[in-house]
Amino acid sequence: MSQTATQPIVAASDVDKTYRMGEIQVPVLRSVGLEIAEGRFVAIMGPSGSGKSTLLHVLSGLDAPDRGRVLLEGHDVYALKDRARTLLRRDRIGFVFQFFNLVPNLTVTENILLPAMIQGQDPSERPPELATLIERFRLTGQADRFPHQISGGEMQRVSIARALFSQPRIIMADEPTGNISSRAGQEVMELLRACRDERGQTILLVTHNPRDAAFADRVHFLKDGEIAAHTTLEDDAVNEARILDCLKELDV
Ligand SMILES: Nc1ncnc2c1ncn2[C@@H]1O[C@H](COP(=O)(O)OP(=O)(O)OP(=O)(O)O)[C@@H](O)[C@H]1O
Ligand SMILES: [Mg+2]
C-alpha cells in the first residue's frame, strides 16, 4: 500500500494484548484504537501498569497483539514476514528508552553512529551532520568518552542523538526523562519538539510527567488497558493544567 498525504503514519485498530504466564492471563490492552498523523507529537499517559510500554511495543512491531491491526506508513506490520517487519522498524523508528540502552564499550560518537552502521554506513566515515548533532546536543566534550564517564542527562541526550542520526520518520520515547533531573528533562523535551518542528518527525512519547506531556499536541490517557480519554493541546501555558485536570477526572 502506498502512502497518501491523509494516511496516518501510525494506526492501530481493535488491538487486544494479553500476557500469558503459564495458567495466568494478564489482559493488558483492550480494543485500543489510535491514529497518529505524520509530524505530530503525541503523548501517552496513564498509571504504572496501565499498558503504556506494551502499547509502544505493539505499535513499533516489537510485540504482536492477540487481535487487531497495526499499520506503519500503511504497512500492515504483523502481516509482514519477520525479516520485513524488522527492517521496517529499523528504518522507520528511532527508540529512546528510560534506561538509555547505550552500548557500554562504545564511545558517545560510536553509540550515535550505531544505527546508521547497522544500516550499512561505514563507521570510519564521520559525516558533517554528526559533528553538528554532537554540538547541538552539547556533547562536544563528551564525544570520545564512554557511557560510564558521562552524566544521566548526557546519556539521555546521546540516546536521542542516536535516535535522530539515522533520521527515522518516527521517534518512540518511553519515559525518556524518568532518570534525569527536571532541568535535563526539559532540555530533552525541547530537543524532541525540535525534531518535530524542524524535520517533521513524528514523536510518540510515553510519560508519567504532565510537564513533559505538555510538549505534545495531543495526549492519550490509558486506563486499565483502554484509551480512556484524549485531549488536544494548543497553548503551552494551559497545557499542564489541562493534563492535570484530565488525570484527576480519570482518577489516575
Ligand atoms: N512480558 C510480560 N509478561 C507478563 N506480564 C507483563 C509483561 N510485560 C508487562 N506485563 C504486565 O502488563 C501490564 C502492563 O505493563 P506495561 O509495562 O505496559 O505498563 P506501563 O503502563 O508501561 O507501566 P510503567 O508506567 O510502570 O512503565 C503490567 O501489569 C505488567 O505487569
Ligand atoms: Mg512502562
mmCIF file of all heavy atoms in Angstrom, residues 131-181:
data_model
loop_
_atom_site.group_PDB
_atom_site.id
_atom_site.type_symbol
_atom_site.label_atom_id
_atom_site.label_comp_id
_atom_site.label_asym_id
_atom_site.label_seq_id
_atom_site.Cartn_x
_atom_site.Cartn_y
_atom_site.Cartn_z
ATOM 1 N N ALA A 131 28.893 15.908 13.459
ATOM 2 C CA ALA A 131 29.510 16.960 14.266
ATOM 3 C C ALA A 131 28.457 17.991 14.668
ATOM 4 O O ALA A 131 28.435 18.471 15.812
ATOM 5 C CB ALA A 131 30.631 17.618 13.477
ATOM 6 N N THR A 132 27.575 18.316 13.743
ATOM 7 C CA THR A 132 26.521 19.296 14.028
ATOM 8 C C THR A 132 25.623 18.792 15.153
ATOM 9 O O THR A 132 25.278 19.526 16.080
ATOM 10 C CB THR A 132 25.655 19.526 12.760
ATOM 11 O OG1 THR A 132 26.536 19.749 11.674
ATOM 12 C CG2 THR A 132 24.720 20.693 12.924
ATOM 13 N N LEU A 133 25.277 17.519 15.058
ATOM 14 C CA LEU A 133 24.389 16.922 16.054
ATOM 15 C C LEU A 133 25.053 16.910 17.437
ATOM 16 O O LEU A 133 24.451 17.265 18.444
ATOM 17 C CB LEU A 133 24.057 15.498 15.604
ATOM 18 C CG LEU A 133 22.839 14.831 16.201
ATOM 19 C CD1 LEU A 133 21.566 15.558 15.801
ATOM 20 C CD2 LEU A 133 22.746 13.379 15.722
ATOM 21 N N ILE A 134 26.329 16.536 17.453
ATOM 22 C CA ILE A 134 27.053 16.463 18.720
ATOM 23 C C ILE A 134 27.146 17.850 19.369
ATOM 24 O O ILE A 134 26.969 18.001 20.577
ATOM 25 C CB ILE A 134 28.446 15.823 18.494
ATOM 26 C CG1 ILE A 134 28.256 14.308 18.280
ATOM 27 C CG2 ILE A 134 29.392 16.084 19.655
ATOM 28 C CD1 ILE A 134 29.517 13.555 17.925
ATOM 29 N N GLU A 135 27.345 18.838 18.533
ATOM 30 C CA GLU A 135 27.430 20.196 19.057
ATOM 31 C C GLU A 135 26.065 20.649 19.573
ATOM 32 O O GLU A 135 25.939 21.181 20.671
ATOM 33 C CB GLU A 135 27.904 21.105 17.925
ATOM 34 C CG GLU A 135 28.526 22.386 18.411
ATOM 35 C CD GLU A 135 28.939 23.232 17.216
ATOM 36 O OE1 GLU A 135 29.635 22.705 16.328
ATOM 37 O OE2 GLU A 135 28.516 24.403 17.173
ATOM 38 N N ARG A 136 25.067 20.384 18.774
ATOM 39 C CA ARG A 136 23.698 20.771 19.122
ATOM 40 C C ARG A 136 23.256 20.146 20.453
ATOM 41 O O ARG A 136 22.539 20.762 21.232
ATOM 42 C CB ARG A 136 22.786 20.290 18.000
ATOM 43 C CG ARG A 136 21.327 20.287 18.301
ATOM 44 C CD ARG A 136 20.721 21.455 17.599
ATOM 45 N NE ARG A 136 19.401 21.725 18.084
ATOM 46 C CZ ARG A 136 18.315 21.671 17.347
ATOM 47 N NH1 ARG A 136 18.418 21.349 16.074
ATOM 48 N NH2 ARG A 136 17.161 21.977 17.856
ATOM 49 N N PHE A 137 23.683 18.927 20.691
ATOM 50 C CA PHE A 137 23.297 18.221 21.909
ATOM 51 C C PHE A 137 24.282 18.480 23.053
ATOM 52 O O PHE A 137 24.247 17.815 24.067
ATOM 53 C CB PHE A 137 23.165 16.708 21.635
ATOM 54 C CG PHE A 137 21.852 16.346 20.998
ATOM 55 C CD1 PHE A 137 21.548 16.771 19.717
ATOM 56 C CD2 PHE A 137 20.910 15.612 21.682
ATOM 57 C CE1 PHE A 137 20.324 16.464 19.126
ATOM 58 C CE2 PHE A 137 19.690 15.302 21.112
ATOM 59 C CZ PHE A 137 19.401 15.731 19.831
ATOM 60 N N ARG A 138 25.155 19.446 22.854
ATOM 61 C CA ARG A 138 26.145 19.839 23.853
ATOM 62 C C ARG A 138 26.930 18.625 24.357
ATOM 63 O O ARG A 138 27.053 18.387 25.546
ATOM 64 C CB ARG A 138 25.459 20.577 25.019
ATOM 65 C CG ARG A 138 24.833 21.903 24.548
ATOM 66 C CD ARG A 138 24.449 22.812 25.685
ATOM 67 N NE ARG A 138 23.450 22.237 26.549
ATOM 68 C CZ ARG A 138 23.660 21.744 27.759
ATOM 69 N NH1 ARG A 138 24.874 21.754 28.284
ATOM 70 N NH2 ARG A 138 22.685 21.258 28.456
ATOM 71 N N LEU A 139 27.456 17.863 23.393
ATOM 72 C CA LEU A 139 28.212 16.660 23.746
ATOM 73 C C LEU A 139 29.639 16.715 23.208
ATOM 74 O O LEU A 139 30.333 15.698 23.200
ATOM 75 C CB LEU A 139 27.495 15.422 23.178
ATOM 76 C CG LEU A 139 26.149 15.084 23.835
ATOM 77 C CD1 LEU A 139 25.372 14.081 22.988
ATOM 78 C CD2 LEU A 139 26.337 14.559 25.250
ATOM 79 N N THR A 140 30.055 17.910 22.792
ATOM 80 C CA THR A 140 31.373 18.024 22.161
ATOM 81 C C THR A 140 32.481 17.489 23.072
ATOM 82 O O THR A 140 33.323 16.699 22.644
ATOM 83 C CB THR A 140 31.658 19.492 21.763
ATOM 84 O OG1 THR A 140 30.521 19.949 21.032
ATOM 85 C CG2 THR A 140 32.894 19.613 20.910
ATOM 86 N N GLY A 141 32.447 17.897 24.333
ATOM 87 C CA GLY A 141 33.484 17.464 25.271
ATOM 88 C C GLY A 141 33.373 15.994 25.656
ATOM 89 O O GLY A 141 34.299 15.416 26.232
ATOM 90 N N GLN A 142 32.223 15.402 25.363
ATOM 91 C CA GLN A 142 31.983 14.013 25.787
ATOM 92 C C GLN A 142 32.131 13.017 24.634
ATOM 93 O O GLN A 142 32.023 11.805 24.843
ATOM 94 C CB GLN A 142 30.555 13.875 26.346
ATOM 95 C CG GLN A 142 30.337 14.485 27.718
ATOM 96 C CD GLN A 142 30.237 15.992 27.682
ATOM 97 O OE1 GLN A 142 29.923 16.578 26.654
ATOM 98 N NE2 GLN A 142 30.533 16.621 28.809
ATOM 99 N N ALA A 143 32.372 13.536 23.434
ATOM 100 C CA ALA A 143 32.266 12.701 22.231
ATOM 101 C C ALA A 143 33.100 11.419 22.275
ATOM 102 O O ALA A 143 32.680 10.386 21.758
ATOM 103 C CB ALA A 143 32.637 13.522 20.991
ATOM 104 N N ASP A 144 34.271 11.484 22.903
ATOM 105 C CA ASP A 144 35.138 10.299 22.909
ATOM 106 C C ASP A 144 35.105 9.546 24.233
ATOM 107 O O ASP A 144 35.897 8.633 24.460
ATOM 108 C CB ASP A 144 36.580 10.702 22.569
ATOM 109 C CG ASP A 144 36.663 11.270 21.159
ATOM 110 O OD1 ASP A 144 35.973 10.717 20.270
ATOM 111 O OD2 ASP A 144 37.365 12.278 20.960
ATOM 112 N N ARG A 145 34.160 9.945 25.096
ATOM 113 C CA ARG A 145 34.054 9.231 26.376
ATOM 114 C C ARG A 145 33.112 8.037 26.237
ATOM 115 O O ARG A 145 32.327 7.948 25.316
ATOM 116 C CB ARG A 145 33.490 10.163 27.442
ATOM 117 C CG ARG A 145 34.414 11.313 27.754
ATOM 118 C CD ARG A 145 34.061 11.856 29.114
ATOM 119 N NE ARG A 145 34.446 13.246 29.232
ATOM 120 C CZ ARG A 145 33.903 14.080 30.096
ATOM 121 N NH1 ARG A 145 32.925 13.673 30.899
ATOM 122 N NH2 ARG A 145 34.316 15.319 30.164
ATOM 123 N N PHE A 146 33.193 7.175 27.254
ATOM 124 C CA PHE A 146 32.292 6.024 27.295
ATOM 125 C C PHE A 146 31.100 6.354 28.189
ATOM 126 O O PHE A 146 31.188 7.264 29.025
ATOM 127 C CB PHE A 146 33.062 4.796 27.818
ATOM 128 C CG PHE A 146 34.122 4.349 26.855
ATOM 129 C CD1 PHE A 146 35.428 4.818 26.961
ATOM 130 C CD2 PHE A 146 33.783 3.500 25.804
ATOM 131 C CE1 PHE A 146 36.398 4.431 26.048
ATOM 132 C CE2 PHE A 146 34.752 3.114 24.881
ATOM 133 C CZ PHE A 146 36.055 3.586 24.997
ATOM 134 N N PRO A 147 29.983 5.634 28.030
ATOM 135 C CA PRO A 147 28.783 5.965 28.794
ATOM 136 C C PRO A 147 29.002 6.115 30.307
ATOM 137 O O PRO A 147 28.411 7.007 30.924
ATOM 138 C CB PRO A 147 27.830 4.811 28.465
ATOM 139 C CG PRO A 147 28.208 4.425 27.071
ATOM 140 C CD PRO A 147 29.699 4.590 27.024
ATOM 141 N N HIS A 148 29.857 5.281 30.909
ATOM 142 C CA HIS A 148 30.022 5.398 32.368
ATOM 143 C C HIS A 148 30.770 6.675 32.765
ATOM 144 O O HIS A 148 30.854 7.004 33.941
ATOM 145 C CB HIS A 148 30.709 4.148 32.945
ATOM 146 C CG HIS A 148 32.173 4.071 32.644
ATOM 147 N ND1 HIS A 148 32.670 3.495 31.488
ATOM 148 C CD2 HIS A 148 33.252 4.515 33.333
ATOM 149 C CE1 HIS A 148 33.998 3.592 31.492
ATOM 150 N NE2 HIS A 148 34.370 4.203 32.597
ATOM 151 N N GLN A 149 31.287 7.392 31.764
ATOM 152 C CA GLN A 149 32.041 8.617 32.083
ATOM 153 C C GLN A 149 31.215 9.880 31.867
ATOM 154 O O GLN A 149 31.752 10.984 31.883
ATOM 155 C CB GLN A 149 33.292 8.688 31.200
ATOM 156 C CG GLN A 149 34.241 7.525 31.455
ATOM 157 C CD GLN A 149 35.357 7.442 30.422
ATOM 158 O OE1 GLN A 149 35.126 7.658 29.235
ATOM 159 N NE2 GLN A 149 36.558 7.132 30.879
ATOM 160 N N ILE A 150 29.907 9.739 31.637
ATOM 161 C CA ILE A 150 29.066 10.920 31.424
ATOM 162 C C ILE A 150 27.845 10.868 32.341
ATOM 163 O O ILE A 150 27.541 9.828 32.919
ATOM 164 C CB ILE A 150 28.637 11.058 29.939
ATOM 165 C CG1 ILE A 150 27.762 9.888 29.502
ATOM 166 C CG2 ILE A 150 29.860 11.192 29.038
ATOM 167 C CD1 ILE A 150 27.263 9.988 28.068
ATOM 168 N N SER A 151 27.149 12.009 32.467
ATOM 169 C CA SER A 151 26.002 12.083 33.390
ATOM 170 C C SER A 151 24.745 11.471 32.778
ATOM 171 O O SER A 151 24.689 11.206 31.570
ATOM 172 C CB SER A 151 25.725 13.547 33.728
ATOM 173 O OG SER A 151 25.113 14.187 32.628
ATOM 174 N N GLY A 152 23.717 11.298 33.616
ATOM 175 C CA GLY A 152 22.445 10.745 33.142
ATOM 176 C C GLY A 152 21.813 11.607 32.060
ATOM 177 O O GLY A 152 21.323 11.102 31.040
ATOM 178 N N GLY A 153 21.823 12.926 32.281
ATOM 179 C CA GLY A 153 21.256 13.839 31.279
ATOM 180 C C GLY A 153 22.017 13.738 29.960
ATOM 181 O O GLY A 153 21.421 13.741 28.878
ATOM 182 N N GLU A 154 23.331 13.628 30.072
ATOM 183 C CA GLU A 154 24.154 13.484 28.859
ATOM 184 C C GLU A 154 23.858 12.160 28.159
ATOM 185 O O GLU A 154 23.745 12.094 26.933
ATOM 186 C CB GLU A 154 25.642 13.603 29.207
ATOM 187 C CG GLU A 154 26.053 15.040 29.549
ATOM 188 C CD GLU A 154 27.369 15.149 30.308
ATOM 189 O OE1 GLU A 154 27.954 14.109 30.686
ATOM 190 O OE2 GLU A 154 27.804 16.283 30.540
ATOM 191 N N MET A 155 23.704 11.104 28.977
ATOM 192 C CA MET A 155 23.381 9.798 28.370
ATOM 193 C C MET A 155 22.066 9.889 27.598
ATOM 194 O O MET A 155 21.935 9.327 26.511
ATOM 195 C CB MET A 155 23.215 8.722 29.451
ATOM 196 C CG MET A 155 24.510 8.227 30.020
ATOM 197 S SD MET A 155 24.177 6.735 30.977
ATOM 198 C CE MET A 155 25.235 6.997 32.351
ATOM 199 N N GLN A 156 21.110 10.587 28.194
ATOM 200 C CA GLN A 156 19.820 10.668 27.502
ATOM 201 C C GLN A 156 19.955 11.495 26.232
ATOM 202 O O GLN A 156 19.326 11.181 25.215
ATOM 203 C CB GLN A 156 18.741 11.239 28.443
ATOM 204 C CG GLN A 156 17.325 10.977 27.977
ATOM 205 C CD GLN A 156 17.038 9.499 27.737
ATOM 206 O OE1 GLN A 156 17.662 8.865 26.898
ATOM 207 N NE2 GLN A 156 16.104 8.943 28.488
ATOM 208 N N ARG A 157 20.782 12.522 26.258
ATOM 209 C CA ARG A 157 20.988 13.294 25.020
ATOM 210 C C ARG A 157 21.670 12.424 23.963
ATOM 211 O O ARG A 157 21.354 12.517 22.786
ATOM 212 C CB ARG A 157 21.786 14.576 25.311
ATOM 213 C CG ARG A 157 21.044 15.516 26.265
ATOM 214 C CD ARG A 157 21.439 16.961 26.077
ATOM 215 N NE ARG A 157 22.835 17.245 26.336
ATOM 216 C CZ ARG A 157 23.349 17.498 27.532
ATOM 217 N NH1 ARG A 157 22.592 17.485 28.616
ATOM 218 N NH2 ARG A 157 24.635 17.774 27.669
ATOM 219 N N VAL A 158 22.605 11.564 24.408
ATOM 220 C CA VAL A 158 23.245 10.648 23.449
ATOM 221 C C VAL A 158 22.184 9.726 22.844
ATOM 222 O O VAL A 158 22.144 9.499 21.630
ATOM 223 C CB VAL A 158 24.351 9.787 24.117
ATOM 224 C CG1 VAL A 158 24.898 8.766 23.124
ATOM 225 C CG2 VAL A 158 25.473 10.668 24.651
ATOM 226 N N SER A 159 21.286 9.216 23.700
ATOM 227 C CA SER A 159 20.334 8.243 23.155
ATOM 228 C C SER A 159 19.350 8.920 22.206
ATOM 229 O O SER A 159 18.897 8.301 21.244
ATOM 230 C CB SER A 159 19.666 7.417 24.252
ATOM 231 O OG SER A 159 18.669 8.139 24.882
ATOM 232 N N ILE A 160 19.053 10.198 22.456
ATOM 233 C CA ILE A 160 18.180 10.894 21.495
ATOM 234 C C ILE A 160 18.958 11.219 20.216
ATOM 235 O O ILE A 160 18.451 11.043 19.111
ATOM 236 C CB ILE A 160 17.574 12.162 22.117
ATOM 237 C CG1 ILE A 160 16.660 11.741 23.276
ATOM 238 C CG2 ILE A 160 16.764 12.947 21.085
ATOM 239 C CD1 ILE A 160 16.001 12.883 23.984
ATOM 240 N N ALA A 161 20.198 11.652 20.389
ATOM 241 C CA ALA A 161 21.020 11.921 19.203
ATOM 242 C C ALA A 161 21.133 10.658 18.346
ATOM 243 O O ALA A 161 21.044 10.699 17.117
ATOM 244 C CB ALA A 161 22.410 12.410 19.618
ATOM 245 N N ARG A 162 21.285 9.522 19.009
ATOM 246 C CA ARG A 162 21.364 8.251 18.289
ATOM 247 C C ARG A 162 20.044 7.969 17.555
ATOM 248 O O ARG A 162 20.034 7.543 16.409
ATOM 249 C CB ARG A 162 21.666 7.119 19.278
ATOM 250 C CG ARG A 162 21.730 5.748 18.630
ATOM 251 C CD ARG A 162 21.949 4.656 19.638
ATOM 252 N NE ARG A 162 20.908 4.665 20.647
ATOM 253 C CZ ARG A 162 20.886 3.862 21.705
ATOM 254 N NH1 ARG A 162 21.874 3.018 21.903
ATOM 255 N NH2 ARG A 162 19.916 3.923 22.578
ATOM 256 N N ALA A 163 18.919 8.246 18.260
ATOM 257 C CA ALA A 163 17.613 8.001 17.626
ATOM 258 C C ALA A 163 17.406 8.911 16.417
ATOM 259 O O ALA A 163 16.658 8.585 15.509
ATOM 260 C CB ALA A 163 16.491 8.203 18.636
ATOM 261 N N LEU A 164 18.078 10.067 16.424
ATOM 262 C CA LEU A 164 17.874 11.038 15.350
ATOM 263 C C LEU A 164 18.820 10.874 14.178
ATOM 264 O O LEU A 164 18.505 11.246 13.057
ATOM 265 C CB LEU A 164 18.116 12.458 15.883
ATOM 266 C CG LEU A 164 17.151 12.928 16.936
ATOM 267 C CD1 LEU A 164 17.421 14.377 17.251
ATOM 268 C CD2 LEU A 164 15.750 12.753 16.426
ATOM 269 N N PHE A 165 20.004 10.335 14.474
ATOM 270 C CA PHE A 165 21.060 10.414 13.471
ATOM 271 C C PHE A 165 20.684 9.743 12.157
ATOM 272 O O PHE A 165 20.980 10.244 11.078
ATOM 273 C CB PHE A 165 22.379 9.839 14.015
ATOM 274 C CG PHE A 165 23.484 9.970 13.038
ATOM 275 C CD1 PHE A 165 23.944 11.229 12.677
ATOM 276 C CD2 PHE A 165 24.046 8.866 12.437
ATOM 277 C CE1 PHE A 165 24.943 11.375 11.743
ATOM 278 C CE2 PHE A 165 25.044 9.002 11.505
ATOM 279 C CZ PHE A 165 25.494 10.261 11.151
ATOM 280 N N SER A 166 19.998 8.620 12.256
ATOM 281 C CA SER A 166 19.629 7.941 11.013
ATOM 282 C C SER A 166 18.310 8.486 10.454
ATOM 283 O O SER A 166 17.744 7.906 9.524
ATOM 284 C CB SER A 166 19.564 6.434 11.244
ATOM 285 O OG SER A 166 18.760 6.165 12.368
ATOM 286 N N GLN A 167 17.820 9.574 11.056
ATOM 287 C CA GLN A 167 16.648 10.296 10.566
ATOM 288 C C GLN A 167 15.404 9.432 10.369
ATOM 289 O O GLN A 167 14.807 9.423 9.294
ATOM 290 C CB GLN A 167 16.984 11.009 9.254
ATOM 291 C CG GLN A 167 18.228 11.841 9.423
ATOM 292 C CD GLN A 167 18.232 13.083 8.549
ATOM 293 O OE1 GLN A 167 17.275 13.372 7.853
ATOM 294 N NE2 GLN A 167 19.297 13.810 8.598
ATOM 295 N N PRO A 168 15.005 8.704 11.410
ATOM 296 C CA PRO A 168 13.776 7.914 11.296
ATOM 297 C C PRO A 168 12.575 8.845 11.200
ATOM 298 O O PRO A 168 12.618 9.965 11.717
ATOM 299 C CB PRO A 168 13.739 7.144 12.622
ATOM 300 C CG PRO A 168 14.460 8.027 13.577
ATOM 301 C CD PRO A 168 15.540 8.698 12.784
ATOM 302 N N ARG A 169 11.529 8.395 10.540
ATOM 303 C CA ARG A 169 10.326 9.227 10.434
ATOM 304 C C ARG A 169 9.582 9.281 11.759
ATOM 305 O O ARG A 169 8.810 10.185 12.012
ATOM 306 C CB ARG A 169 9.391 8.701 9.334
ATOM 307 C CG ARG A 169 9.949 8.766 7.931
ATOM 308 C CD ARG A 169 10.533 10.132 7.597
ATOM 309 N NE ARG A 169 9.574 11.215 7.729
ATOM 310 C CZ ARG A 169 9.905 12.485 7.968
ATOM 311 N NH1 ARG A 169 11.166 12.836 8.114
ATOM 312 N NH2 ARG A 169 8.983 13.399 8.060
ATOM 313 N N ILE A 170 9.787 8.249 12.592
ATOM 314 C CA ILE A 170 9.045 8.168 13.849
ATOM 315 C C ILE A 170 10.034 7.992 15.003
ATOM 316 O O ILE A 170 10.962 7.192 14.906
ATOM 317 C CB ILE A 170 8.100 6.942 13.843
ATOM 318 C CG1 ILE A 170 7.229 6.937 12.587
ATOM 319 C CG2 ILE A 170 7.239 6.910 15.110
ATOM 320 C CD1 ILE A 170 6.495 5.623 12.348
ATOM 321 N N ILE A 171 9.821 8.749 16.065
ATOM 322 C CA ILE A 171 10.628 8.552 17.264
ATOM 323 C C ILE A 171 9.707 8.090 18.381
ATOM 324 O O ILE A 171 8.697 8.737 18.659
ATOM 325 C CB ILE A 171 11.340 9.856 17.670
ATOM 326 C CG1 ILE A 171 12.303 10.258 16.568
ATOM 327 C CG2 ILE A 171 12.069 9.693 18.996
ATOM 328 C CD1 ILE A 171 12.914 11.621 16.758
ATOM 329 N N MET A 172 10.026 6.950 18.985
ATOM 330 C CA MET A 172 9.239 6.467 20.106
ATOM 331 C C MET A 172 10.087 6.568 21.359
ATOM 332 O O MET A 172 11.189 6.026 21.419
ATOM 333 C CB MET A 172 8.799 5.021 19.873
ATOM 334 C CG MET A 172 7.853 4.881 18.683
ATOM 335 S SD MET A 172 7.023 3.298 18.695
ATOM 336 C CE MET A 172 6.051 3.428 17.174
ATOM 337 N N ALA A 173 9.558 7.273 22.350
ATOM 338 C CA ALA A 173 10.328 7.514 23.571
ATOM 339 C C ALA A 173 9.521 7.039 24.766
ATOM 340 O O ALA A 173 8.390 7.468 24.970
ATOM 341 C CB ALA A 173 10.650 9.001 23.691
ATOM 342 N N ASP A 174 10.096 6.127 25.557
ATOM 343 C CA ASP A 174 9.398 5.576 26.717
ATOM 344 C C ASP A 174 10.036 6.142 27.979
ATOM 345 O O ASP A 174 11.147 5.764 28.340
ATOM 346 C CB ASP A 174 9.500 4.045 26.686
ATOM 347 C CG ASP A 174 8.508 3.385 27.638
ATOM 348 O OD1 ASP A 174 7.911 4.098 28.479
ATOM 349 O OD2 ASP A 174 8.330 2.155 27.543
ATOM 350 N N GLU A 175 9.337 7.046 28.628
ATOM 351 C CA GLU A 175 9.824 7.688 29.853
ATOM 352 C C GLU A 175 11.246 8.223 29.697
ATOM 353 O O GLU A 175 12.113 7.914 30.533
ATOM 354 C CB GLU A 175 9.797 6.691 31.031
ATOM 355 C CG GLU A 175 8.433 6.142 31.358
ATOM 356 C CD GLU A 175 7.594 7.098 32.205
ATOM 357 O OE1 GLU A 175 8.071 8.219 32.498
ATOM 358 O OE2 GLU A 175 6.468 6.731 32.540
ATOM 359 N N PRO A 176 11.497 9.016 28.689
ATOM 360 C CA PRO A 176 12.892 9.434 28.462
ATOM 361 C C PRO A 176 13.440 10.340 29.554
ATOM 362 O O PRO A 176 14.648 10.502 29.661
ATOM 363 C CB PRO A 176 12.824 10.187 27.122
ATOM 364 C CG PRO A 176 11.424 10.672 27.019
ATOM 365 C CD PRO A 176 10.587 9.617 27.693
ATOM 366 N N THR A 177 12.568 10.913 30.366
ATOM 367 C CA THR A 177 13.076 11.797 31.425
ATOM 368 C C THR A 177 12.994 11.134 32.798
ATOM 369 O O THR A 177 13.230 11.774 33.811
ATOM 370 C CB THR A 177 12.280 13.126 31.470
ATOM 371 O OG1 THR A 177 10.925 12.833 31.836
ATOM 372 C CG2 THR A 177 12.295 13.824 30.137
ATOM 373 N N GLY A 178 12.668 9.843 32.814
ATOM 374 C CA GLY A 178 12.443 9.149 34.084
ATOM 375 C C GLY A 178 13.641 9.139 35.015
ATOM 376 O O GLY A 178 13.476 9.117 36.229
ATOM 377 N N ASN A 179 14.845 9.170 34.480
ATOM 378 C CA ASN A 179 16.028 9.033 35.326
ATOM 379 C C ASN A 179 16.975 10.218 35.267
ATOM 380 O O ASN A 179 18.164 10.077 35.535
ATOM 381 C CB ASN A 179 16.785 7.762 34.938
ATOM 382 C CG ASN A 179 16.066 6.538 35.454
ATOM 383 O OD1 ASN A 179 15.824 6.421 36.656
ATOM 384 N ND2 ASN A 179 15.674 5.668 34.566
ATOM 385 N N ILE A 180 16.445 11.375 34.908
ATOM 386 C CA ILE A 180 17.326 12.544 34.851
ATOM 387 C C ILE A 180 16.690 13.716 35.590
ATOM 388 O O ILE A 180 15.511 13.669 35.925
ATOM 389 C CB ILE A 180 17.664 12.930 33.388
ATOM 390 C CG1 ILE A 180 16.391 13.141 32.562
ATOM 391 C CG2 ILE A 180 18.542 11.869 32.727
ATOM 392 C CD1 ILE A 180 16.651 13.490 31.111
ATOM 393 N N SER A 181 17.458 14.751 35.832
ATOM 394 C CA SER A 181 16.945 15.894 36.591
ATOM 395 C C SER A 181 15.864 16.608 35.794
ATOM 396 O O SER A 181 15.764 16.442 34.570
ATOM 397 C CB SER A 181 18.089 16.871 36.872
ATOM 398 O OG SER A 181 18.461 17.507 35.665
#
